Amino acid sequence: MLTEEELDRQRKTVFRTAPLISIPVPLYNTPLPYLKEMIDSVLDQSYENWELCLADGSSENGPEQFVRDQYGKETRIKYRRLDRNTGIAGNTNAAVAMAEGAYIGLLDHDDLLAPDALFEVVQVINRHPDADAVYTDEDKVRDNLAKHFEPAFKPDFNLDLLRSCNYICHFFVAKKCIVDGIGGFRSDFDGSQDYDFILRCVEKARAVYHIPKVLYHWRCHPDSVAGNPESKLYAYEAGRRAVEEHLRRVGEPDAQVERLPFWGHYRVNYPVKSRDRIDILISDRGSVRDLRRCVDSVLKKSTYDHYHIFIVGSADTEQQDPAYQRELLNTNRVTFLRSGREKNESAVYNDTVRQCDGQYLVFLHCDTEVIAPDWLERMLANCQREEVGIVGAKLYFPNGSISHAGVVVGMNETAGSVMVGDSRRSPGYLNRLQIQLNYSAVTGDCMMISRQLFEEMGGFDENLNTEFYDTDLCLRAGERDKRIVFDPKIEMYSYKPRKKGRRSDGAETVRMQCDRQYFRDRWKGILEKGDPCYNVNWTLERGDFSIRRGNEDN
């Protein structure tokens, strides 16, 4: 919590740009204690150039009388009694119509703003002139305000996560010209009107910025969605339609949106747009048993058939079973290639790609086993999206626990997978194990990229011999504004042993140490600033989305 001294410093801050921020609030029979606490949270703002626009569709006179008696002399508070209740969207639009500010900030009639919420938003607007939309972290608060709980620490703008759920939610601020341009809120989406509104705003925004601070408090009481999601089940279907219409507007008319068992969460199923050739490059660094299990699973389970397998070995790789090689060659789907380089995974893959001609490349480690028959369709459909660079899978250890579900940069001073060891059926933190979203990286044990993008980036960085070549590739794709997609429906087993306790010879240990240092030097910026797909409030000591401890570095 901020000290009074810090809030006073904020009040005295002179910004180069100090826009009027309008806060439209639709009222409907709001309990007077809630109404007072909401209004007071706005009055307590350290940034003072705001206006509160109250549009009241109540069936009783209590809210009107209370506002006029208690706040009648506050010129920054505008009140309008509506002729009738027109629902959440209609009442909110009436409040927006009263607004004269350059920005609109959404606040529910029973929620609260942290005292520095508007200050932090205006600070971002001054630092980033292209900030057409800004959102913050949030938490929930008990009915009597006695306890704050369930903080929602969010990533920076995450398109696939937003299409899976309304993770942005509160506090959301957008330029009024955008709000006016999209026509405000739509009554057809009451219950998920904020979700529909946010989707349409971000479609028009030049840039969307995130403030990783809890600046909004969502009140939980029996009738609120926060306290009882089932109180508004109709909103679930409205949210699905909102995502579906968003996809139509942005050029994905054939994408299908399905509801998930988790309230307010969805899965977008993208279509394969063209039947492109996929080359699957399988690293031949395991046993014959590993290779047989991997290749057989691809051949027997894959429902997409326009692919070819290249089994990739280096000069130091032991020869595989000749009988099995002949068996695979007879399928006409498999080619064995051998690079002249030794002990450099990046170089071996780069050499192999030069001998392939598929439009899309899948890098697959030989200790994996396909589970989902449609894995290639799902990878290809996502990879064919213009904004996507690389697509990754969800991997399990043989016991069914999570081996990989996305990579966070900064873990263990380099990079690491999240939620390792969680149950296969676990929803994960805020259902992240069950929904599609963007991470900064995915594992090279199973990833797809277009040949064009791979070649434009110069392939894998051959300075990385054994580790982080996959993470580095993803980060370089991100520098080109390409999104990295984690799709939990692309499922595989991984028989690779956990790294902890794994024996390495002296030369390999040296290579690993060199890789780690090279990676830290190459990506010093993101390591210092923090992974944009994570949140600075989460720990980097573990990948379990637990809150950062006080003794961790800022």
Side-chain angles (χ1 to χ4, degrees):
M1 182 175 292
L2 292 180
T3 64
E4 189 56 41
E5 289 76 14
E6 175 61 20
L7 290 172
D8 188 55
R9 184 196 67 78
Q10 291 181 2
R11 294 186 189 100
K12 295 176 181 177
T13 299
V14 178
F15 287 108
R16 181 182 69 258
T17 300
L20 174 65
I21 297 182
S22 300
I23 304 173
V25 179
L27 305 182
Y28 182 74
N29 295 339
T30 311
L32 300 187
Y34 298 172
L35 181 58
K36 181 181 188 311
E37 288 162 353
M38 180 273 291
I39 294 175
D40 287 350
S41 77
V42 178
L43 287 168
D44 289 342
Q45 291 299 301
S46 59
Y47 178 80
E48 298 179 343
N49 192 20
W50 53 262
E51 63 176 7
L52 180 62
C53 304
L54 306 175
D56 188 2
S58 300
S59 59
E60 53 191 50
N61 296 324
E64 178 179 10
Q65 194 63 43
F66 179 79
V67 171
R68 297 195 185 282
D69 290 347
Q70 297 293 318
Y71 304 100
K73 295 181 179 180
E74 175 53 75
T75 58
R76 292 175 297 177
I77 297 179
K78 299 179 178 180
Y79 175 88
R80 177 188 169 195
R81 182 67 180 270
L82 303 179
D83 295 335
R84 61 188 179 88
N85 175 35
T86 56
I88 303 172
N91 292 355
T92 305
N93 284 337
V96 171
M98 301 162 62
E100 298 179 359
Y103 290 83
I104 297 291
L106 303 183
L107 176 61
D108 288 350
H109 68 161
D110 51 359
D111 295 342
L112 305 96
L113 293 179
D116 55 334
L118 297 185
F119 176 88
E120 293 287 350
V121 169
V122 173
Q123 190 164 248
V124 168
I125 292 170
N126 277 266
R127 290 174 177 171
H128 305 283
D130 61 344
D132 287 345
V134 181
Y135 65 95
T136 77
D137 292 346
E138 64 189 281
D139 66 7
K140 295 176 183 176
V141 63
R142 292 295 181 201
D143 194 13
N144 59 5
L145 308 186
K147 180 181 180 182
H148 291 254
F149 63 105
E150 291 186 12
F153 295 129
K154 309 167 188 178
D156 290 352
F157 183 64
N158 195 304
L159 179 62
D160 282 272
L161 179 57
L162 184 60
R163 290 176 179 177
S164 298
C165 63
N166 182 13
Y167 84 92
I168 288 179
C169 205
H170 306 300
F171 179 45
F172 181 73
V173 178
K175 269 192 171 179
K176 189 171 188 294
C177 60
I178 288 180
V179 175
D180 292 340
I182 65 172
F185 292 81
R186 301 195 290 180
S187 297
D188 289 349
F189 296 89
D190 271 355
S192 285
Q193 73 288 334
D194 287 0
Y195 196 7
D196 172 65
F197 176 82
I198 289 171
L199 285 166
R200 288 183 291 127
C201 282
V202 300
E203 290 166 20
K204 301 296 184 181
R206 290 173 297 172
V208 181
Y209 287 91
H210 164 234
I211 301 171
K213 297 182 179 181
V214 174
L215 300 176
Y216 190 102
H217 310 302
W218 192 2
R219 188 194 299 268
C220 279
H221 55 84
D223 294 328
S224 72
V225 177
N228 178 20
E230 292 186 0
S231 65
K232 290 187 177 180
L233 286 177
Y234 69 91
Y236 193 3
E237 174 58 19
R240 190 196 67 78
R241 289 189 291 105
V243 177
E244 200 167 65
E245 287 205 10
H246 155 73
L247 292 165
R248 304 290 183 271
R249 290 190 299 270
V250 299
E252 293 284 356
D254 297 320
Q256 300 297 314
V257 183
E258 63 176 294
R259 300 187 305 193
L260 295 179
F262 319 105
W263 190 92
H265 289 74
Y266 309 90
R267 176 172 295 120
V268 179
N269 296 303
Y270 295 93
V272 172
K273 295 175 182 175
S274 57
R275 193 171 170 272
D276 295 321
R277 156 80 176 263
I278 300 172
D279 287 339
I280 303 172
L281 284 65
I282 300 178
S283 172
D284 182 12
R285 282 192 171 276
S287 65
V288 174
R289 182 182 63 178
D290 286 338
L291 183 65
R292 181 184 291 271
R293 181 175 53 219
C294 176
V295 175
D296 286 356
S297 71
V298 173
L299 294 172
K300 294 176 181 178
K301 294 183 181 179
S302 302
T303 51
Y304 187 85
D305 63 358
H306 193 34
Y307 68 86
H308 193 83
I309 297 172
F310 292 86
I311 298 178
V312 183
S314 59
D316 61 302
T317 306
E318 294 182 7
Q319 293 292 323
Q320 294 290 350
D321 180 2
Y324 184 55
Q325 287 194 23
R326 289 194 296 271
E327 178 185 334
L328 292 179
L329 291 172
N330 287 336
T331 67
N332 295 320
R333 281 196 177 277
V334 179
T335 299
F336 286 84
L337 294 176
R338 190 75 58 187
S339 168
R341 315 227 232 153
E342 297 184 4
K343 296 186 183 299
N344 187 321
E345 198 96 346
S346 299
V348 170
Y349 271 139
N350 288 343
D351 288 347
T352 306
V353 171
R354 296 184 187 102
Q355 302 177 66
C356 302
D357 58 5
Q359 292 104 317
Y360 288 87
L361 307 170
V362 169
F363 298 98
L364 191 63
H365 204 276
C366 68
D367 58 19
T368 57
E369 178 184 1
V370 173
I371 296 175
D374 64 346
W375 69 292
L376 286 174
E377 289 95 331
R378 297 195 71 90
M379 294 190 103
L380 182 60
N382 267 307
C383 224
Q384 287 176 339
R385 294 163 52 196
E386 183 178 354
E387 69 273 16
V388 172
I390 296 174
V391 181
K394 183 180 181 183
L395 275 60
Y396 307 111
F397 291 114
N399 66 1
S401 63
I402 301 295
S403 167
H404 172 80
V407 170
V408 167
V409 179
M411 279 183 56
N412 304 315
E413 300 181 345
T414 47
S417 295
V418 296
M419 293 177 279
V420 174
D422 277 21
S423 166
R424 178 176 179 175
R425 293 180 175 81
S426 168
Y429 176 79
L430 296 181
N431 302 311
R432 274 166 168 69
L433 286 175
Q434 304 297 333
I435 59 176
Q436 181 163 297
L437 68 156
N438 304 124
Y439 279 105
S440 289
V442 290
T443 178
D445 287 356
C446 180
M447 64 159 56
M448 176 183 281
I449 184 174
S450 72
R451 165 184 290 279
Q452 179 180 344
L453 179 59
F454 187 81
E455 291 179 343
E456 286 175 357
M457 294 194 298
F460 291 113
D461 187 336
E462 295 180 11
N463 291 298
L464 294 165
N465 291 276
T466 59
E467 291 196 299
F468 307 118
Y469 62 90
D470 47 1
T471 302
D472 173 81
L473 186 74
C474 291
L475 292 176
R476 286 189 284 130
E479 286 184 324
R480 294 169 175 257
D481 294 325
K482 294 295 185 179
R483 300 189 181 277
I484 312 303
V485 173
F486 164 71
D487 185 342
K489 294 300 289 180
I490 304 169
E491 298 178 287
M492 291 202 166
Y493 285 115
S494 172
Y495 295 89
K496 183 184 294 185
R498 294 175 183 257
K499 289 184 178 180
K500 187 175 181 180
R502 186 180 65 182
R503 293 183 178 179
S504 302
D505 60 34
E508 183 179 3
T509 299
V510 171
R511 287 194 298 272
M512 291 169 64
Q513 291 173 344
C514 290
D515 283 357
R516 293 177 70 85
Q517 189 58 54
Y518 181 86
F519 181 86
R520 284 194 290 262
D521 292 341
R522 171 69 177 83
W523 298 105
K524 182 179 179 181
I526 188 173
L527 287 167
E528 291 180 347
K529 185 178 180 181
D531 189 325
C533 293
Y534 203 52
N535 188 294
V536 296
N537 294 293
W538 288 324
T539 182
L540 290 173
E541 294 181 350
R542 300 169 303 283
D544 59 359
F545 291 87
S546 58
I547 295 177
R548 201 180 189 109
R549 296 183 297 189
N551 62 350
E552 291 188 51
D553 292 336
N554 290 326

